[in-house]
Amino acid sequence: MYKKAIILIICLCISGMLFAQPKEVTLVVSGEGANKTEATNNALRSAIEQAFGTFVSANTTILNDEVVKDEIATISSGNIESYEELGSVSSETGVMVSLKAIVSVQKLVNYVRNYF
């Protein structure tokens, strides 16, 4: 009972913060990967996580003082409106890119409205 109330309070706080935010956020991010595409995807994922944060949910089941199930789920949702590559560096271990990304907060607001 208390767990559901705490989750509801957290969700309401998050929704309040989301509704007060602008519709777009501009960020400068970087990402690493084995190739340029992977590095770009990691940078864009980083932009979404920085703009919205990541919702983490944990569920642990204990039976007779023994952990039976331990699950952790993360959700990060958003929409990249556009991005511009600022630079990239290649090395023997992979590629690092820097991007200027414009992230839309409206998609996450709609998700929170529909989910909760």
Side-chain angles (χ1 to χ4, degrees), residues 20 26 47:
T26 303

Side-chain angles (χ1 to χ4, degrees), residues 3 7 55-61 69-74:
K3 186 176 180 181
I7 291 173
F55 176 75
V56 179
S57 175
N59 184 13
T60 303
T61 304
K69 181 172 67 169
D70 194 14
E71 298 175 333
I72 298 174
T74 60

Side-chain angles (χ1 to χ4, degrees), residues 24-31 36 39-48 50-51 79-88 96-104:
E24 293 180 345
V25 177
T26 303
L27 299 163
V28 175
V29 293
S30 61
K36 195 169 188 177
T40 300
N41 288 339
N42 288 336
L44 294 174
R45 183 179 304 109
S46 176
I48 290 172
Q50 287 181 40
N79 190 27
I80 303 291
E81 291 294 319
S82 64
Y83 68 92
E84 171 188 348
E85 183 179 317
L86 301 176
S88 66
M96 180 178 216
V97 296
S98 294
L99 305 174
K100 177 181 176 183
I102 299 175
V103 182
S104 170

Side-chain angles (χ1 to χ4, degrees), residues 12 18 37 40 52 63-64 67-68 92 100 107 111:
L12 290 174
L18 290 174
T37 302
T40 300
F52 306 118
L63 180 64
N64 296 329
V67 176
V68 176
E92 294 176 6
K100 177 181 176 183
K107 184 176 180 182
Y111 173 79

